């Protein structure tokens, strides 16, 4: 039997390699991808995977694909789960699962595997993608099968079997990281009344210690895609990295929320996503300038549904494809610039412009430049207010 496993290099997946090898008497192939997390060199990862029991090791740099095929469509869709979460972890799962399936097909493997627990969202995201891309392949989820009850028991097992693990001292949090943001859970954060201690945050400066002076940045968009920062054109990975750095310095992108997992559990989640927060804010503002009211309000409904699709692991689905086509069409005029002021944890839009703007100063103004026909409003109100009048008469 041949099994390909999504391997992060951490404790769970290291132990999983050995567990799968022994339980299924299988040949294990470890697959790791770079999606913008802090990551060790492929050589070190390979050595570690092999010491854990893997026969082969594959490594992919998926950052470009992540940005182009996952992050940009989600930003265009304006998708924030439960109004806040920019979906960094959610988006990475189908991407990684795609990579696993590619290797599984090449290696003619019998099964694929992941290191997700049985009470989270990630197992769903991995497995729905596996099902969609390779319905014939078997899925094994060791963390749902094995008997370990704590990290300590896993560490004990790893030591017994000579499996190298990166940190012996247990971290107080569970952290998942990629280019689009960081998700932080567990430990003291499980008490929703408890303010997150400073050490929970990995990259952002606390607003108490950010610069006393605001910083302004200007983001350029073309058809919904961010293409420049401070009027310098750059590739999207670079823009995300730069905005992450600047935003983190000003304490932007901290999200503390209670969210509903797909399996029904409410959980307290901390996120750090400076680039996602700033880019969503700017992108939305540009849409306000160029969209009609009808389009703006209708697209909000699509944003909500889109965020659920991503969160629920239905990335590969006909519904998402259909929504993508709609969203793409909406982005036709989302071209222009947004100026954002960053100050003490706040991301404030202070300017916006677009060649396709529907804003007309002569219509909005209260000066003599005004071209709006005030007299026409009487007839408009009489007709728009007809129902109000009828209802009012009835109430009497
Ligand atoms: N709750 C988030 C999600 O479902 C993040 C999960 C991240 N996992 C972690 N180990 N912190 O997408």
């Amino acid at each position: 039997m041949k099994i390909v496993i999504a391997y992060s290099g951490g404790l769970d997946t290291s132990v999983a390699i050995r567990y799968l090898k022994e339980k299924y008497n299988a040949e294990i192939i470890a697959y790791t991808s770079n999606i913008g997390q802090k990551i060790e060199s492929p050589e070190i990862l390979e050595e570690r995977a092999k010491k854990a029991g893997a026969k082969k090791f594959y490594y992919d740099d998926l950052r470009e694909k992540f940005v182009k095929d996952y992050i940009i469509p989600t930003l265009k869709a304006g998708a924030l789960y439960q109004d806040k979460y920019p979906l960094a972890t959610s988006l990475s799962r189908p991407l990684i699962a795609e990579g696993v399936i590619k290797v599984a097909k090449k290696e003619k493997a019998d099964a694929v595997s992941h290191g997700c627990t049985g009470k989270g969202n990630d197992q769903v995201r991995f497995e729905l993608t596996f099902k969609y891309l390779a319905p014939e392949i078997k899925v094994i989820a060791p963390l749902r099968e094995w008997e370990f009850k704590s990290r300590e028991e896993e560490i004990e097992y790893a030591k017994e079997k000579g499996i190298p693990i990166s940190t012996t001292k247990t971290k107080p949090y569970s952290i998942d990281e990629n280019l689009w943001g960081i998700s932080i859970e567990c430990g003291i954060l499980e008490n929703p009344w408890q303010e997150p201690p400073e050490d929970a945050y990995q990259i952002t400066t606390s607003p108490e210690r950010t610069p006393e002076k605001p910083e302004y940045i200007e983001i350029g968009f073309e058809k919904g895609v961010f293409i420049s920062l401070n009027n310098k054109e750059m590739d999207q990975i670079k823009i995300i990295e730069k905005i992450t750095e600047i935003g983190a310095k000003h304490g932007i992108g901290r999200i503390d929320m209670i969210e509903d997992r797909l399996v029904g559990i409410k959980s307290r989640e901390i996120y750090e996503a400076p680039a996602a927060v700033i880019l969503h804010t700017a992108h939305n503002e540009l849409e306000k300038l160029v969209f009609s009211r009808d389009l703006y309000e209708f697209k909000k409904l699509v944003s909500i549904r889109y965020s659920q699709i991503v969160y629920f692991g239905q990335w590969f689905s006909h519904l998402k494809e259909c929504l993508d086509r709609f969203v793409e069409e909406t982005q036709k005029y989302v071209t222009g610039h947004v100026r954002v002021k960053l100050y003490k944890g706040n991301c404030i839009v202070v300017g916006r412009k677009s060649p396709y703007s529907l804003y007309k100063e002569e219509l909005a103004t209260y000066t003599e430049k005004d071209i709006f026909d005030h007299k026409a409003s009487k007839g408009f109100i009489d007709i728009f207010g007809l129902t109000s009048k009828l209802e009012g008469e009835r109430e009497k």
Side-chain angles (χ1 to χ4, degrees):
M1 180 159 182
K2 238 188 208 184
I3 307 172
V4 182
I5 181 168
Y7 175 68
S8 71
L11 177 66
D12 285 336
T13 50
S14 296
V15 168
I17 287 178
R18 179 63 57 92
Y19 169 89
L20 290 172
K21 184 181 168 185
E22 291 186 353
K23 172 152 184 208
Y24 294 92
N25 190 18
E27 178 183 324
I28 309 298
I29 298 162
Y31 172 83
T32 305
S33 56
N34 178 357
I35 51 172
Q37 75 277 39
K38 274 185 234 76
I39 188 170
E40 267 152 316
S41 71
E43 293 74 30
I44 290 178
L45 286 163
E46 172 161 14
E47 193 192 311
R48 198 181 294 159
K50 288 193 169 160
K51 279 197 179 138
K55 180 103 183 278
K56 263 189 171 174
F57 174 79
Y58 278 85
Y59 177 88
D60 253 350
D61 184 348
L62 296 179
R63 287 174 302 162
E64 237 179 270
K65 185 173 173 56
F66 189 29
V67 173
K68 192 169 134 286
D69 295 348
Y70 287 81
I71 291 175
I72 289 174
T74 305
L75 177 71
K76 284 177 176 172
L80 296 168
Y81 184 62
Q82 298 191 325
D83 304 322
K84 285 166 114 179
Y85 171 35
L87 298 160
T89 298
S90 321
L91 281 173
S92 71
R93 298 324 188 207
L95 171 74
I96 298 168
E98 241 190 305
V100 169
I101 292 296
K102 206 181 68 199
V103 172
K105 286 190 169 161
K106 183 167 169 242
E107 288 282 344
K108 300 196 172 35
D110 308 282
V112 289
S113 182
H114 58 73
C116 309
T117 77
K119 60 193 285 188
N121 297 311
D122 288 332
Q123 52 176 349
V124 183
R125 299 170 183 146
F126 269 107
E127 292 182 34
L128 261 55
T129 308
F130 291 154
K131 280 183 200 295
Y132 185 95
L133 296 176
E136 67 290 348
I137 213 157
K138 192 172 157 60
V139 179
I140 305 174
L143 276 78
R144 291 200 299 251
E145 287 182 3
W146 70 31
E147 302 296 327
F148 303 121
K149 289 207 171 52
S150 64
R151 269 182 94 75
E152 286 63 40
E153 281 182 35
E154 279 182 62
I155 292 170
E156 212 35 62
Y157 174 89
K159 279 191 187 144
E160 221 174 84
K161 301 273 179 184
I163 300 167
I165 41 176
S166 48
T167 43
T168 34
K169 76 167 187 344
T170 39
K171 281 182 249 137
Y173 310 106
S174 158
I175 298 168
D176 180 69
E177 182 188 12
N178 64 50
L179 203 55
W180 202 226
I182 304 177
S183 307
I184 308 140
E185 293 176 284
C186 299
I188 197 166
L189 303 172
E190 286 174 359
N191 174 355
W193 181 248
Q194 175 73 48
E195 181 176 356
E198 257 326 287
D199 76 344
Y201 293 106
Q202 309 298 307
I203 54 167
T204 53
T205 306
S206 161
E208 284 93 336
R209 288 182 289 109
T210 51
E212 292 305 317
K213 268 206 185 129
E215 182 165 347
Y216 291 82
I217 60 171
E218 189 175 322
I219 302 163
F221 289 90
E222 195 179 297
K223 295 194 167 77
V225 182
F226 45 100
I227 54 157
S228 68
L229 179 62
N230 296 331
N231 290 304
K232 256 205 246 91
E233 291 212 3
M234 279 176 228
D235 76 56
Q236 277 76 37
I237 296 180
K238 192 101 237 145
I239 294 178
I240 292 174
E241 285 172 346
K242 278 241 176 282
I243 298 183
T244 298
E245 189 190 317
I246 301 169
K249 187 173 81 190
H250 290 277
I252 289 149
R254 291 184 169 192
I255 298 160
D256 176 346
M257 69 188 279
I258 297 292
E259 85 188 25
D260 288 286
R261 285 192 200 159
L262 184 54
V263 296
I265 298 171
K266 277 199 188 292
S267 64
R268 199 278 186 89
E269 306 278 338
I270 305 297
Y271 299 108
E272 285 181 287
V277 165
I278 292 168
L279 286 166
H280 268 287
T281 304
H283 178 262
N284 182 254
E285 187 67 20
L286 198 53
E287 290 189 335
K288 279 200 177 144
L289 194 65
V290 302
F291 280 3
S292 68
R293 179 173 61 201
D294 284 345
L295 180 55
Y296 186 80
E297 281 164 12
F298 185 80
K299 186 171 174 261
K300 279 279 166 254
L301 305 175
V302 172
S303 302
I304 293 172
R305 196 67 188 88
Y306 200 104
S307 75
Q308 293 162 347
I309 290 171
V310 175
Y311 191 86
F312 299 163
Q314 296 163 311
W315 183 262
F316 292 97
S317 60
H318 195 197
L319 175 57
K320 195 204 128 259
E321 235 174 80
C322 294
L323 295 186
D324 272 331
R325 304 255 177 97
F326 167 79
V327 169
E328 194 53 41
E329 179 60 27
T330 65
Q331 300 301 293
K332 192 166 162 187
Y333 298 121
V334 186
T335 294
H337 285 81
V338 180
R339 213 150 62 89
V340 183
K341 177 176 175 174
L342 309 175
Y343 183 61
K344 299 224 163 278
N346 298 294
C347 159
I348 308 151
V349 173
V350 293
R352 65 294 269 163
K353 63 179 179 187
S354 165
Y356 305 114
S357 171
L358 294 178
Y359 179 91
K360 249 192 162 41
E361 221 171 315
E362 308 94 280
L363 283 173
T365 186
Y366 286 98
T367 67
E368 69 282 358
K369 282 197 237 123
D370 189 8
I371 58 162
F372 185 78
D373 180 0
H374 292 235
K375 295 204 175 68
S377 286
K378 160 107 181 48
F380 167 73
I381 294 166
D382 285 346
I383 291 171
F384 182 67
L386 194 54
T387 304
S388 303
K389 190 169 170 233
L390 292 169
E391 285 187 338
E393 281 167 2
R394 182 175 62 189
E395 285 307 306
K396 271 202 289 177

